[in-house]
Amino acid sequence: MSSTLTEATDPYCLREGESAELLAGHPWHRFVVLGDSVAEGMCEPVDGYPRVQWADRIAAELRAARPGLAYLNLGRRGLRAHEVRAAQLDAALAFDPDLALVVCGGNDAFRPAYDADAVDAELTAIIGALRAAGADVVTVGMFDVSHSPAVPEPLRPGLGERMRRLSSRTGRLADRLGTVHVHLTDHPAGADPSLYSSDGRHGSARSDAIAAAETVRRLGAHLAARP
């Protein structure tokens, strides 16, 4: 999808120097990412936006403030929440992270038979293990991909309801488990077609730039709130 904006003019992207101010002196040394294709990063090109997926962007901003930051992205496309836990949690813990990004459940919510309780249980197990190991955890309420023009009109209401249910329940888990939560589902740009890829399932380079900006801002707010 095309956009009339560029990253430099996009009001929702990071401004020059913003990340350096927000993340100055951050305490994290080891950043791990767990999840599905959103974590892995599909990042369909958009003119005016570098083709850099959002987890890589976050790692780059963290590393700019703390050179030497170690970064491991375990994300793999197509995985459901239980598969993320089974395939990635042990490796994530072995990495000994002090910051983890967990993004999964979208592939579950794409299915009409989405079991919200089962996804909650998997997310709770993943987040709980990472928190018990001493890591700060970032969770995400994803953009509502039902706004994508590539999603057939008859499928949009059901998909949108499931994506919003996943987002709402993940937000409640975040409150209960003490994560840094990034809520993108109601973002002002969420209905813009340029945020979505042509496959009707993923985001574009613009959505990755916006998601990274919102994540950095939430991390900055988390740091500012610390004693």
Side-chain angles (χ1 to χ4, degrees):
M1 288 291 174
S2 62
S3 172
T4 58
L5 299 167
T6 67
E7 186 163 355
T9 61
D10 195 319
Y12 302 117
C13 291
L14 289 168
R15 303 273 62 85
E16 185 175 355
E18 182 181 3
S19 178
E21 181 177 348
L22 291 170
L23 298 179
H26 77 72
W28 301 297
H29 294 81
R30 302 182 68 78
F31 174 44
V32 70
V33 178
L34 303 83
D36 52 26
S37 55
V38 179
E40 180 185 359
M42 306 302 287
C43 198
E44 186 167 287
V46 175
D47 289 344
Y49 296 80
R51 192 176 181 182
V52 184
Q53 66 101 342
W54 75 307
D56 288 353
R57 285 174 173 269
I58 296 165
E61 300 295 349
L62 290 166
R63 190 172 282 152
R66 182 176 290 280
L69 175 103
Y71 167 48
L72 175 65
N73 190 335
L74 299 166
R76 292 293 178 270
R77 67 195 70 184
L79 298 186
R80 295 171 63 187
H82 72 280
E83 294 170 317
V84 170
R85 180 177 60 83
Q88 299 175 17
L89 182 56
D90 286 347
L93 293 171
F95 183 68
D96 193 24
D98 51 13
L99 180 65
L101 169 64
V102 177
V103 53
C104 60
N107 288 317
D108 298 83
F110 258 92
R111 300 165 179 253
Y114 163 52
D115 186 337
D117 289 337
V119 172
D120 280 3
E122 297 296 341
L123 283 169
T124 298
I126 294 168
I127 295 165
L130 290 163
R131 294 282 287 147
D136 288 319
V137 177
V138 180
T139 51
V140 184
M142 293 177 285
F143 289 115
D144 179 2
V145 76
S146 70
H147 290 299
S148 169
V151 175
E153 186 66 39
L155 301 181
R156 289 186 187 181
L159 176 59
E161 187 278 327
R162 295 191 301 276
M163 294 300 293
R164 288 183 170 275
R165 187 159 24 122
L166 170 64
S167 175
S168 175
R169 293 182 68 126
T170 304
R172 289 199 294 271
L173 280 179
D175 288 340
R176 178 164 61 85
L177 299 174
T179 75
V180 179
H181 189 64
V182 183
H183 182 68
L184 299 172
T185 314
D186 296 311
H187 193 281
D192 192 318
S194 69
L195 259 64
Y196 303 102
S197 70
S198 56
D199 67 3
R201 296 182 68 92
H202 299 104
S204 68
R206 184 183 181 216
S207 75
D208 281 21
I210 293 174
E214 294 300 327
T215 305
V216 167
R217 289 167 184 148
R218 284 293 299 121
L219 289 171
H222 173 72
L223 292 173
R226 286 185 166 188

